[in-house]
Structure formats: C-alpha cells, structure tokens
Amino acid sequence: MKVYTLAEYAGMDTEPEILFWVGCAGSFDPRAQKITQSLVKILHHAGIKYAVLGNEESCTGDPARRAGNEFIFQMMALQNIEVLNMYKVNKIVTACPHCFNTLKNEYPELGGNYEVVHHTTLIQQLIEEGKLTIEGGAFQGKTIAYHDSCYLGRVNNIYEAPRDILNKLDGDLKEAPRNRSKGFCCGAGGAQVFKEEEESSTNKKVNGERVGELLETKPDIIAANCPYCILMMNDGVKAKGKDEDVMVYDISELIVQANKW
Amino acid sequence: MIQQLVFVAVLAVVSLLAFRSYRHIYKSIMLGKDFSTSGPSGERWKNVLLVAFGQKKMFKRIIPAVLHGFIYVAFLFTQIELIEIIVDGVFGVHRFFAGALGGLYTLIINSIEFLSLGALISTIIFLWRRNMLKVPRLVMPEMKGWPTLDANNILIAEIVLITAIFTMNAADGLLQNIDPTHFPDSGPLLLSGIVGKTLFSGLSAGTLHILERVGWWIHILVVFGFLLYLPLSKHLHILLAFPNVFFAKLKSRGEMSNMPDIMNEVKSMMGLGDPNAEEAPMTEELPDFGSKDIFDLSWKNLLDAYTCTECGRCSSVCPASGTGKKLSPRKIMMDIRDRTTEVAANLKENNYDTKGYDDGKSLFDYISDEELFACTTCTACVEACPVMIDPLEPILELRRYKILTESAGPSDWTPMFTSLENTGAVWQMPSERFDWAKPLTEENS
C-alpha cells in the first residue's frame, strides 16, 4: 500500500480529493502510528484519493500556543499555511482533534482557509455514501465504552458521528457517567501531556480519574477519537492493572479490526 | 407626612450612594482593555433571552435550577410591588395600583405571594445545602471567610424580606375591613390571608397599623440595603449576568485570540511580511506579551469576574480541581475581581487615570504559576458557567505573559519548544516524520 505525498501528486496529472493531516502523535508515537495506518487503510479501501504531506508537515502549533508560546505557534502555523497554500489544499482530514481544531478554527485568521474534517466525521460520511461497510461480528458480546475528547466534543460540538460509527460495530456501546458536553478530560490537552501534573492534595491523576469512571461501565474496549486521549488512557488502564482486560482503541482501529484489514 | 419626608430623604440618599457605587463598578470594569465585539447581534440577543433571561444553562442541574428559579422569578415579579412602594412612599398614598388595576392587581399580588413562598422554601434549602449538607463546590478553599458570609448574608436578608412582605400584606388585608378608606381593597390574598387569620386575628387596628408599617419599612429598607450591598457582593450577577451574556464570545470556543504583533514579527522573520509595510521602529525594550495585570485583560474578562456568583460549577467540573490540584477556575475569577477592586480603589481618587499606575503588585500576587500551568484547556469550565463566563481566556493570557515575557514556566516544556523550533515536531525524534508509512509500503510489496 503506497502512501503518496502531495509532492508526488504534483508530478502527476491528477489531484487528490483530500489531504490526510497526520500530526506529531500519529507520525512519531509508536502507538499512535497504528491509528494513522488504520485511517490509511480505511481511505484506501473506501477508494478515496488522498495524499499526505510526509516530511513537509510540521506540528500545527497547538501545544505551543496553549502552553503560551505564541512565537513558536506562529512559526509552525505560518510555515504550514505556506505549504498548504502552495499545494492549493482545499480539504483536510485528520485523526487528531487538536490538529483538527487548530487547522479549522485558528488557521483562517492567519490566512489558511480549508475545509477541515475529523476522521470520525469522514468515516461516517463514507459509510452513509456506501463507500465503506463495516463487517459485523467482530465485536459481538463486547462492551465498548466511548470517551469524548474535549477538542472534538465540547470544543467543536461533534458528539454523534463517533457514536454512529460505534453503533455499527455490533458491540454494546456504553456511555461514561460524564459524557458529551459533560465529558471529562483525559489530562493531555493544553500541552499537559508534555509535562508532569502539578501536585495533588488527593494524589489523583486526571487520566486515572477518567479511566476509573470508564471502567465502571465494565468495558472490554475503551474507544476514543484522539491519539493523546489514547496515550493517556493506555497509561491509566495500565496504572490500574487492567491492561490485560481492557484495550484502548481509536475508532478507526476498530473498523480495521472488524473488517480484518 | 413625616413618613413621606423620611422616605423621600432615604430614597434620595440611597439613590446618590447607589449611583456612586455603581459608577465605581463600571469604572472598575472599564480598566480592562477594549476588545472586538463584532459578530451578529441577533445571536447576542438570543443568548440574553435564552441564557440570561431564560436561565437555560442552569437547567443542566435540575434541583438548584428549580430552587434558584423560584428566587429569580419572585425577584422579577416583586419589582412591580417595589414600584408601587416607591410611588406610595413618595406621594404618601397607599396601594396606588390597587384601584387602577383592580382584578389584575389581586392576581399580581397573589402571584408575588406564591412565588415568595417558593423563594422562602428555596432560601431555606439553600442555607441548608451550604451550611449543613456542605455541597462540595460550595465549601472549596476559596470560599472560606467573606465569600461564605456574603452568600449567607443574602440568604438571610431574603428571609427577612419575605417575612416583611407577608407581615405587611397580612396586616393590610385585615385593615382593609377595618378602615377601607385608607386601605384600598386588594381583593382576596390567599397566603397572607392565612397568615393574617392565624397570627394577627384579634389584634387592634392600632397594632395592625404598626405591623403593616413595620413590614412596609423593613421591606423597602432591605431592598435599599440590598441595592447598596450588591456592588460589594457576588450577588452583582443579578444585574451583570445580562450584559455579560450579551458580550460573551461568539467565535468558536476552540479559537485562541490571535497575537498580530507576534504574527507580523514571525512573518517578517520568514520573509512573508508585506514588503511595502513600514518597518516597526526598533525599541530598546521588548514589549510585554500576554497579561500580567488587570489592565492587560479585556474589560469582558473583568466583567466576567464581577458577574461571577461563585457557584463553583466551573471548579466542580475542572479536571485539575477535581483531582486535587490548586487550580480552581472560580478562584481565578475571584482573584481577578479582588485585584480589580484593589486597583480601582487606589485609582478612584485619581479619576481612574491608569497612567503610570504601579502599586508593586500584579495578578501574580493572587494567582500562582502552579495554578496557571495545571489547566488542560478542556473548556469544561466555560461550558459549565450559567452566565457565560470564560475562565479559560485569562488563564491562557497569564500563561502567555509567563512564557513570552518572563520566559518562565514548567521546565518540562522546554524540550518540546526546542524540538518544535528545530524539527517542527513536538518530540525530538531520530526517525523521520513520514517513517510511519514504511510498514504499509512493505505490507503489500
């Protein structure tokens, strides 16, 4: 399966429909790379002509901006916008809600205007259009607890697309006690994932708190839509000694598993 | 006649004091920076109607919403009675609206009485929740001392007020039969009728008259006291909720405000700047970025702080507060208000002229780095606030000051910043960005 870059497409007489924005986690983190590969498989099987930026992609700048470092944010963002505009990119899909938010909501003011979709929204569309089917069976009898990421859910109001997809998996979909607009953070956002948490009077960690309440639903699988949530919750599940029983997956990975790709 | 003179004098003094103190609040809020209020005003009015007037966001928690709803609606309705009290007081008449409105008057006063009963029950439950049940969000560290006393003061004043209303109406109802020329018929008042029958029956006309006057005066004096107390209290929300909701950000919650100075600086560094633009004059001193004190925050941030009623819904959903970290979004808002109050008090003599103001303090004397850097930017606090306060924006503005102006902040972030600058990735990696695709290529080859 060959993944083409926009640079490679530039030499061909055809154009991709959509740019897959991979993001730092999806590019470098071994766990998150699996999400990237899953989305590639989905796009491939759905017959979508997509491209990536490959080594021409940089961080969107989200963690720098939210950490307070506007200089580095602007450096990242303006450089990315240069590249995206050079390739005349119109539509972007990304599996990272942080990249999604920054590309969609913050780049326009800097001169980057694109139609940006999160991969769960795109996948839902592909299913509706009949371009993607999910084989039943793989998750029969399994309980799946869904975790809303802050940047997809509360920040960008996308609650239903991921649930629609999960409902097609034949599993038993469970809601966390705090869900949708009341969803509880995994602890990664605002550049927290790059630092230790502050001291706690109760010795609690944010991911521990969230994983704790997700485990109350007795899930076999915790499903999420954000690579950082997945990293945080993997750690949380491990810390509770449940990593043998409960797996944490991105929605795209569940589709790949169901279809045995 | 004496009562009339006393009333007019009290009204005049209260009006003057109120004018001065509300003007001070306005000037305090306006110490903040101007900000863009662009966007469709239709959307803003819709928010005022639904969120402020309709209390839509309160209903995420149904029990406090209903209890608060009684107090709120009773308060709104009582304004009609209040207007009458002022008219009666100034012109020396009694129940001026009774004759003019007839049956409608009976309906209004009965409604006020029923709502007041609901408000009384709510108030007692609120006192119990706060002091006996100790609902966690109402007893967090920042609530120690004045904030708790403030909340109880208002609840107790509420009970006094409602007691006065019923005393006044009950005595009045009985006097309507004894002295109909001076006490116009209000029609049957159900609740105060019961109070009158059970507590006041058999009392002489003179005693009833005293009771009616005592009720009337306590009622209006509590209202006047409340008016003057509001600017010192979290209860300012009853007025400021409306403008605060109107001016709330309409843009996406996910968009942090842009910093054009830095954008242009980076653009010219990258050779992307407008070649015709005049070069910015070189200055010796680097400008300050982000916010250090209230002057660097927008007046909406300060309005947020004065609108905050310290309900703590924000902190009860905050992942940092919820896991025992020092950060509490409510405390951030309270700190901003306390700092603004401090600065405004100092500037009052100087006609609020901020030029060269330096008292050697800043918001960082109130808010610690530990609090600022614990925020995950999850926006749960923004979502939770019933009056559309945004605690996240000032947190991030203060962070910007720490990072950009002071080069302070968690040392854990330094490698991330360095890596971004050098390689464009959040982690310094030996591999290349596109390496993730290699296994896929090999899979089918």
Side-chain angles (χ1 to χ4, degrees):
Chain A
M1 205 178 297
K2 164 92 175 128
V3 181
Y4 290 96
T5 61
L6 279 178
E8 286 168 318
Y9 261 103
M12 304 183 220
D13 52 3
T14 171
E15 278 183 14
E17 297 164 48
I18 197 162
L19 170 72
F20 171 20
W21 184 276
V22 182
C24 294
S27 297
F28 293 108
D29 182 82
R31 174 68 191 83
Q33 280 176 344
K34 300 216 160 49
I35 304 169
T36 310
Q37 290 153 359
S38 298
L39 184 53
V40 161
K41 286 177 187 169
I42 291 170
L43 294 170
H44 174 81
H45 285 278
I48 301 298
K49 239 183 345 165
Y50 69 95
V52 297
L53 278 172
N55 292 329
E56 284 188 282
E57 189 187 279
S58 297
C59 171
T60 57
D62 158 86
R65 184 171 240 196
R66 273 151 191 81
N69 201 326
E70 187 74 3
F71 266 107
I72 292 179
F73 166 73
Q74 295 284 350
M75 280 168 56
M76 297 297 115
L78 292 169
Q79 191 181 320
N80 282 324
I81 291 168
E82 271 283 290
V83 174
L84 292 167
N85 289 353
M86 180 185 78
Y87 285 117
K88 300 195 169 44
V89 169
N90 295 315
K91 193 171 176 185
I92 304 176
V93 61
T94 175
C96 172
H98 296 270
C99 295
F100 169 71
N101 180 67
T102 297
L103 291 166
K104 180 175 185 276
N105 296 320
E106 298 191 324
Y107 277 20
E109 185 143 359
L110 276 63
N113 294 287
Y114 322 103
E115 184 193 344
V116 189
V117 291
H118 185 253
H119 72 311
T120 54
T121 308
L122 181 71
I123 289 170
Q124 189 211 23
Q125 278 170 7
L126 292 176
I127 294 171
E128 270 178 19
E129 291 166 7
K131 291 182 181 164
L132 179 68
T133 43
I134 298 177
E135 307 290 328
F139 297 100
Q140 230 154 34
K142 301 265 187 204
T143 300
I144 304 174
Y146 177 62
H147 163 80
D148 287 284
S149 70
C150 303
Y151 273 76
L152 190 67
R154 200 161 33 238
V155 175
N156 284 293
N157 280 312
I158 298 176
Y159 299 114
E160 300 313 323
R163 287 177 168 80
D164 283 356
I165 302 169
L166 289 171
N167 273 321
K168 294 195 165 64
L169 286 177
D170 270 357
D172 180 14
L173 182 60
K174 286 269 169 54
E175 291 289 348
R178 286 178 280 187
N179 60 63
R180 290 192 169 80
S181 68
K182 290 179 184 165
F184 192 72
C185 182
C186 72
Q192 294 298 324
V193 72
F194 303 104
K195 63 181 254 303
E196 285 299 316
E197 285 188 21
E198 276 66 20
E199 244 173 78
S200 155
S201 59
T202 51
N203 272 323
K204 280 185 183 168
K205 297 243 181 230
V206 180
N207 62 344
E209 192 75 356
R210 182 53 168 171
V211 165
E213 68 176 296
L214 284 161
L215 290 179
E216 280 173 30
T217 66
K218 305 237 176 302
D220 302 297
I221 291 164
I222 294 175
N225 57 52
C226 168
Y228 291 102
C229 292
I230 287 168
L231 298 181
M232 294 305 276
M233 292 203 284
N234 259 334
D235 288 350
V237 169
K238 213 172 280 174
K240 293 203 188 295
K242 289 277 183 187
D243 47 329
E244 297 282 316
D245 315 316
V246 181
M247 303 303 286
V248 185
Y249 287 119
D250 183 76
I251 290 173
S252 63
E253 294 179 292
L254 297 175
I255 295 173
V256 168
Q257 286 175 27
N259 290 0
K260 302 188 179 64
W261 285 335
Chain B
M1 191 62 198
I2 294 172
Q3 274 197 57
Q4 207 178 334
L5 286 176
V6 173
F7 183 82
V8 172
V10 172
L11 182 63
V13 171
V14 168
S15 303
L16 181 72
L17 292 176
F19 173 76
R20 285 172 50 167
S21 99
Y22 285 91
R23 181 176 173 273
H24 180 64
I25 295 292
Y26 174 77
K27 292 282 184 186
S28 308
I29 291 167
M30 287 303 147
L31 292 173
K33 277 195 307 193
D34 224 351
F35 71 102
S36 157
T37 50
S38 59
S41 68
E43 193 70 15
R44 296 184 182 280
W45 285 112
K46 199 177 125 198
N47 281 341
V48 171
L49 201 66
L50 290 178
V51 179
F53 198 72
Q55 309 216 330
K56 184 178 149 197
K57 293 187 91 182
M58 284 294 285
F59 284 87
K60 290 185 166 195
R61 298 190 192 195
I62 193 77
I63 295 170
V66 171
L67 296 174
H68 181 269
F70 271 117
I71 297 182
Y72 167 66
V73 181
F75 175 80
L76 286 184
F77 260 71
T78 314
Q79 302 314 307
I80 305 171
E81 203 180 30
L82 198 64
I83 296 169
E84 184 184 48
I85 286 188
I86 291 172
V87 172
D88 287 356
V90 171
F91 298 103
V93 289
H94 190 73
R95 294 209 180 247
F96 179 74
F97 292 164
L101 298 176
L104 180 63
Y105 186 82
T106 312
L107 180 70
I108 291 171
I109 302 295
N110 269 307
S111 308
I112 291 174
E113 285 194 355
F114 273 99
L115 289 166
S116 296
L117 178 66
L120 181 68
I121 295 166
S122 300
T123 307
I124 292 165
I125 296 174
F126 278 157
L127 276 168
W128 169 72
R129 276 163 57 91
R130 198 172 273 275
N131 299 292
M132 313 288 286
L133 191 64
K134 296 195 187 295
V135 171
R137 67 182 160 94
L138 301 177
V139 293
M140 284 171 66
E142 66 264 26
M143 297 308 287
K144 283 213 177 80
W146 168 247
T148 295
L149 180 65
D150 180 22
N152 285 329
N153 282 347
I154 293 286
L155 291 172
I156 288 162
E158 189 89 30
I159 293 177
V160 173
L161 181 73
I162 295 168
T163 311
I165 291 178
F166 278 111
T167 307
M168 171 180 94
N169 285 0
D172 198 278
L174 294 173
L175 286 165
Q176 286 171 23
N177 295 327
I178 300 169
D179 184 5
T181 41
H182 291 106
F183 293 90
D185 188 11
S186 63
L189 301 179
L190 299 176
L191 290 177
S192 59
I194 296 169
V195 175
K197 237 177 261 165
T198 33
L199 296 178
F200 299 161
S201 65
L203 294 180
S204 70
T207 316
L208 285 173
H209 201 163
I210 291 169
L211 279 173
E212 192 277 333
R213 282 294 89 191
V214 168
W216 191 90
W217 273 101
I218 290 178
H219 181 176
I220 193 66
L221 288 177
V222 171
V223 170
F224 285 161
F226 192 62
L227 187 69
L228 296 179
Y229 181 79
L230 273 189
L232 312 171
S233 158
K234 75 182 190 97
H235 282 80
L236 208 45
H237 79 283
I238 65 169
L239 302 174
L240 296 188
F242 295 88
N244 200 61
V245 165
F246 182 83
F247 289 115
K249 183 170 149 179
L250 296 178
K251 286 198 287 191
S252 163
R253 198 178 271 173
E255 184 184 352
M256 269 178 78
S257 64
N258 194 28
M259 300 178 79
D261 289 351
I262 295 183
M263 180 179 73
N264 293 332
E265 174 80 26
V266 173
K267 270 188 179 171
S268 72
M269 253 166 51
M270 292 170 62
L272 299 171
D274 180 359
N276 300 323
E278 269 181 59
E279 209 158 292
M282 291 289 278
T283 45
E284 289 289 307
E285 260 178 277
L286 272 171
D288 281 359
F289 293 115
S291 302
K292 178 191 187 187
D293 211 342
I294 57 151
F295 313 106
D296 315 316
L297 293 173
S298 74
W299 61 256
K300 174 62 169 74
N301 296 143
L302 306 189
L303 179 60
D304 273 350
Y306 278 90
T307 306
C308 176
T309 194
E310 299 166 11
C311 71
R313 280 167 173 75
C314 52
S315 299
S316 75
V317 296
C318 171
S321 314
T323 54
K325 315 286 160 34
K326 258 194 190 158
L327 172 64
S328 160
R330 168 175 55 192
K331 177 182 172 289
I332 301 287
M333 299 323 295
M334 291 166 74
D335 287 339
I336 294 171
R337 184 188 53 210
D338 289 349
R339 172 65 183 154
T340 310
T341 305
E342 177 183 56
V343 172
N346 293 336
L347 286 172
K348 201 176 171 182
E349 297 306 310
N350 223 351
N351 204 19
Y352 305 97
D353 183 6
T354 57
K355 209 174 280 169
Y357 179 79
D358 184 8
D359 60 2
K361 288 164 94 175
S362 74
L363 275 169
F364 296 121
D365 292 287
Y366 290 76
I367 302 168
S368 66
D369 290 11
E370 188 180 339
E371 292 162 75
L372 292 177
F373 291 115
C375 172
T376 68
T377 73
C378 76
T379 70
C381 56
V382 184
E383 173 72 27
C385 182
V387 291
M388 296 179 95
I389 292 169
D390 179 355
L392 178 58
E393 189 172 74
I395 291 174
L396 292 176
E397 286 302 317
L398 292 165
R399 262 193 194 178
R400 280 177 163 169
Y401 186 88
K402 283 285 163 185
I403 297 282
L404 296 170
T405 309
E406 283 187 355
S407 299
S411 57
D412 286 350
W413 277 347
T414 316
M416 186 254 292
F417 292 149
T418 316
S419 174
L420 283 173
E421 230 172 323
N422 295 336
T423 69
V426 288
W427 298 288
Q428 195 95 44
M429 288 297 205
S431 54
E432 287 210 86
R433 187 173 269 269
F434 196 27
D435 285 357
W436 61 263
K438 279 184 183 159
L440 287 172
T441 320
E442 284 153 18
E443 224 170 77
N444 283 16
S445 57

